[in-house]
Amino acid sequence: MEKKINRLWISNLRVMATIAVIFLHVSAPLFTKYGELPIYIWNYANFFDSVSRFSVPVFVMISGALMFDSKMQTFIFLKKRFVRICLPFIFWSICYVLYIVFIQTNDYQKMSLFEILKKIVRSLYFGSAYHLWYIYMLFGLLLIVPILNSWITRASKKEIHYFLFLWFLTLFFKNLGLENYKTNIELYYFTGFVGYLVLGYYLSTMTIQRDIPIKKISLVFLISGTLTTFLGTYWLSIKSNKPDSMLYDFFSFNVMFTAVGIFLFFRISNYYNNKSNLFFNEVNRFSYGIYLIHVLILWTLDSFGVNASLIHPLFGIPVTSFLCLIISLVIIKIINKNKIGAYISG
């Protein structure tokens, strides 16, 4: 089922996911303040968080669209991917530890050099910042890609449908709270982000019939999924009188529908296939570095009072997000100009 992928729409989709994940991390702290803020103020955070939830599933789907290759050589693939991902990850992980120890706190005053080094090593093992969980998850996916690759590049459409059906079945039990009623047949092997990996490959290679209104279908998925996340989260939070993020889960049907909708929309929309968009090209080129550094920038901006609460969330969330994006891009570009920097910037 393997076909050559047009990388242009995927590049632009990656840019949208990069912007969305920053919006998500800017709005999330305000979301947790349910009850401390007027409900209409809190709901702005809920809105921006809801429309950004597609980011992580789409990142994984993009990986699925690009990584699988019938000519893949396992150890060359792993070496190339891990070197590209590991070095920047280690560098920025250490930066986060040093920022926490020397700037965010005064821990350095009561820590020896050995204790600081121990904290760095421990942080590399468990994670030094909340967003880096994605990189650890990505490492796990990379390990299984060569195994999946041998199957998926030779699999028929029906065989991929079979895998996705079983993955969807696991989501069905999870989303409807029926895990206590599921059969003892072990479906664990079909759970997790590997499903998004396969889904991304499938949606990027499937043949689109001209008589099927894919653009309209994608918009229905995108809009209905996002509205369900937003309105459902609002209703659940009101009902429980606390911030309820159940529908924010990356494996909820609503988030999956949003991710599928925007993925397909970019694939079939020529409007977003513009090579001359310099901003999109630059964000796409340095998207990994932007992802790694953006939380550090958000922490720094917050120390100057620039955050989701700046003036008003309707203003503060987008302004803080785009300011973070621009600063992150500029710093990564500057570091990347140096020969050594190009290996660690991302």
Side-chain angles (χ1 to χ4, degrees):
M1 190 180 163
E2 185 180 17
K3 291 184 179 180
K4 193 170 183 179
I5 305 297
N6 176 358
R7 292 174 178 260
L8 186 54
W9 66 268
I10 288 184
S11 296
N12 291 313
L13 180 59
R14 185 187 290 114
V15 171
M16 294 304 296
T18 302
I19 295 172
V21 82
I22 296 177
F23 267 81
L24 189 156
H25 290 149
V26 171
S27 57
L30 206 60
F31 175 82
T32 63
K33 295 183 179 180
Y34 180 92
E36 301 176 31
L37 301 168
I39 191 65
Y40 76 94
I41 293 290
W42 172 85
N43 223 16
Y44 284 111
N46 176 32
F47 171 76
F48 283 112
D49 209 329
S50 297
V51 299
S52 304
R53 281 283 144 182
F54 71 86
S55 54
V56 169
V58 163
F59 274 134
V60 179
M61 291 167 73
I62 289 172
S63 295
L66 296 177
M67 284 186 182
F68 295 114
D69 183 357
S70 60
K71 298 178 181 178
M72 178 187 293
Q73 294 178 282
T74 298
F75 294 107
I76 293 177
F77 168 82
L78 291 176
K79 179 182 177 182
K80 181 180 178 181
R81 295 286 177 175
F82 275 96
V83 168
R84 183 182 179 279
I85 294 172
C86 270
L87 293 180
F89 166 72
I90 292 171
F91 172 76
W92 289 111
S93 292
I94 293 173
C95 287
Y96 278 101
V97 176
L98 297 179
Y99 183 93
I100 292 169
V101 171
F102 289 96
I103 299 177
Q104 203 171 60
T105 67
N106 59 355
D107 288 351
Y108 69 94
Q109 296 178 356
K110 50 189 176 183
M111 295 176 70
S112 65
L113 178 60
F114 176 75
E115 288 174 322
I116 293 175
L117 292 174
K118 184 178 177 181
K119 185 176 180 66
I120 289 174
V121 173
R122 184 176 176 81
S123 295
L124 286 173
Y125 190 80
F126 293 105
S128 56
Y130 60 82
H131 68 306
L132 295 179
W133 72 268
Y134 176 81
I135 311 302
Y136 291 92
M137 181 272 292
L138 184 59
F139 284 142
L141 288 180
L142 288 175
L143 290 173
I144 201 172
V145 163
I147 308 300
L148 279 176
N149 184 74
S150 298
W151 163 71
I152 203 168
T153 55
R154 296 173 176 82
S156 66
K157 185 163 63 174
K158 287 185 178 180
E159 289 172 331
I160 295 179
H161 286 173
Y162 166 75
F163 179 94
L164 291 174
F165 169 76
L166 290 173
W167 178 64
F168 190 82
L169 190 60
T170 67
L171 299 186
F172 179 83
F173 284 108
K174 177 180 173 64
N175 279 276
L176 299 183
L178 300 175
E179 291 184 314
N180 293 331
Y181 301 95
K182 66 182 181 181
T183 174
N184 284 332
I185 297 174
E186 185 56 80
L187 297 176
Y188 178 80
Y189 315 109
F190 297 92
T191 58
F193 283 100
V194 69
Y196 278 120
L197 201 67
V198 175
L199 183 61
Y201 174 83
Y202 174 71
L203 293 179
S204 64
T205 56
M206 71 176 188
T207 301
I208 297 178
Q209 303 295 336
R210 291 185 178 181
D211 58 337
I212 299 178
I214 292 294
K215 182 176 285 189
K216 291 181 180 179
I217 293 173
S218 68
L219 286 174
V220 169
F221 272 60
L222 175 56
I223 294 170
S224 62
T226 302
L227 283 177
T228 301
T229 306
F230 172 58
L231 297 176
T233 299
Y234 173 72
W235 182 78
L236 288 172
S237 298
I238 292 290
K239 184 181 178 182
S240 59
N241 198 31
K242 63 181 180 179
D244 192 321
S245 59
M246 183 181 74
L247 294 177
Y248 281 0
D249 192 283
F250 296 129
F251 299 104
S252 62
F253 287 137
N254 45 289
V255 171
M256 182 186 69
F257 288 161
T258 303
V260 169
I262 196 168
F263 192 92
L264 286 175
F265 183 78
F266 268 75
R267 182 183 167 186
I268 50 88
S269 179
N270 291 326
Y271 177 77
Y272 291 97
N273 292 345
N274 188 355
K275 291 182 180 179
S276 63
N277 193 321
L278 180 61
F279 175 73
F280 266 45
N281 290 338
E282 291 297 282
V283 174
N284 172 63
R285 180 185 173 193
F286 298 109
S287 59
Y288 181 46
I290 291 171
Y291 183 87
L292 290 172
I293 195 179
H294 83 273
V295 169
L296 196 62
I297 302 303
L298 289 179
W299 287 352
T300 304
L301 288 174
D302 185 59
S303 68
F304 288 99
V306 180
N307 52 43
S309 300
L310 182 68
I311 302 178
H312 188 283
L314 186 59
F315 173 84
I317 292 174
V319 167
T320 302
S321 298
F322 282 109
L323 190 58
C324 173
L325 174 66
I326 293 169
I327 294 173
S328 299
L329 175 60
V330 170
I331 292 175
I332 294 299
K333 280 196 67 174
I334 292 173
I335 297 175
N336 194 261
K337 288 182 180 295
N338 182 278
K339 188 174 182 180
I340 297 178
Y343 288 98
I344 61 173
S345 65

